[in-house]
Amino acid sequence: MARIAVIGAGMGAMAAAARLAVAGHRVAVYERTDTYGGAVRRFERDGFRFDTGPGLLPLPAVWRDLFIKTGKEPLESCVELVQIDPSSCHVFPDGTTVPLPNASRAGVVAALDEALGAGTGARWGDFLVRAREAWDRTRRPLLEEPLWPDWEVLAEREPYPSVPHKRLLRTRRAGTLREIGAWELRDERLADLLETQVLAYGLDPRTAPASAAVLPYMEHAFGTWYVRGGLRELARAVYERCVRRRVEFVFGAEVTGIVEKDGRAAGVELADGSVAEADHVVADVDPARLRALTGHPLDADGDVRPGPAASAASGRFTLLLALVGGREPGVAHRTVVHTPDRERELDFLASPGGDEPPRPTVTVLRPDDPALVPDDGHEAVVVSAVVPADAGWEQEERLRQYAGLLLEAAGPAIPGLRERVLWHEVRTPAHTAAETGSGSVPAPALAAGEGRFLHPANATRLPGLYRVGGWSHPGGGLPHAGMSGALVAGLIVEGPDFRGSQ
């Protein structure tokens, strides 16, 4: 039985902790804040409850697997999962509205044909077929296996089978999401739909590799789910599973250093000066903090070092809206209102120095969940947009200006919105930083792009030290966090030759 110290109580860290405890190890989790879940948190006021991190769950099979492997109670006995339908409703600048059915290719094709014109659905369906091929080619190396030592193979090869495009007597193939939209979808609104689904992960479609097509494919193929009571209920269930498996949690315990002995990680040093000895250390922290904890670089000799694209500082700006009046029957759980100026939006994300930020693409979440409101005469709504992590959000005027833009953008999704607002709370990347240590939100790992969209391997150059969570392979997002926990547990239990579950 080994002693294992886990830094942070994020979702990836807890996934690893539960698996390691079931394998017979003694696991202690040190969390600097007063609660678990990382970015998966809740805000409560006056009988209203809001998810302040992710609001929907893609690929729930990852968390089902965790609960199967760590105990007799399946996930559905601990939380109630609801597959939302439609998966999303999209409102385009020209006023066109498209509800997209959940996990139904035929339904999506029909909905697009009806809203955007004959032929658009077929082009989107053909794109999903190609995206599935990219998924099949990258699923194991990017999600189910530790990062290959020869990871350059993933960086160099573009797995998306682009359609040849003839231009000026030359035949070209799409290398970015932007080119897929322009050359293969051939409809401005379809291209906008594709780009928005990638932008939701903080990626710029102008530079994101074509392999990012796997992200909309995952949502299409595996559906979108809501956890009754909010995603915080999933964090609670994972935490309780850890506790039942005798994982020890120490809250308010800031780790200030990683102890090394005989050339390997041997424990953690805490802010109070005490040391917790361990045989292995698992760190759920961003790369900059991990370097500070060890006092020397961990990425060299072939380890992946995220490039500018992989470490772009994109965060979330969120409005929590307490509304007077109940939720109208039949409205979509999730509505995406597209920006009227995508180029200005992307330019702002890349360089936020201007005084006039554009009206962004916003995601409006309107759960049909009585647990979130004081009574049926009120509604709890979350409006969010992808923003630069550092764009002067500490300035009150900047906050008011951008909150107003989000409220304006959300108008088409909620009739009479301004008149219904009882109160609102604003959350910026600074809130995320206070809860997780970083104001930016990591994107999932992607193939191609010269390795700029990969994340550091779970094993490090320092024996006994492992990375877990969104800042490590396979990257950000709730499914990827759960996968990282499984990979780290496998590396510790089975050793460096572990190659993932078969």
Side-chain angles (χ1 to χ4, degrees), residues 61-82:
V62 172
W63 298 98
R64 290 189 178 114
D65 181 72
L66 172 72
F67 276 73
I68 290 172
K69 300 289 177 56
T70 60
K72 296 180 180 179
E73 290 180 304
L75 176 62
E76 278 81 353
S77 70
C78 302
V79 298
E80 181 182 354
L81 291 179
V82 180

Side-chain angles (χ1 to χ4, degrees), residues 421-433:
V421 177
L422 179 64
W423 52 261
H424 75 272
E425 288 283 336
V426 174
R427 291 183 56 89
T428 73
H431 292 90
T432 308

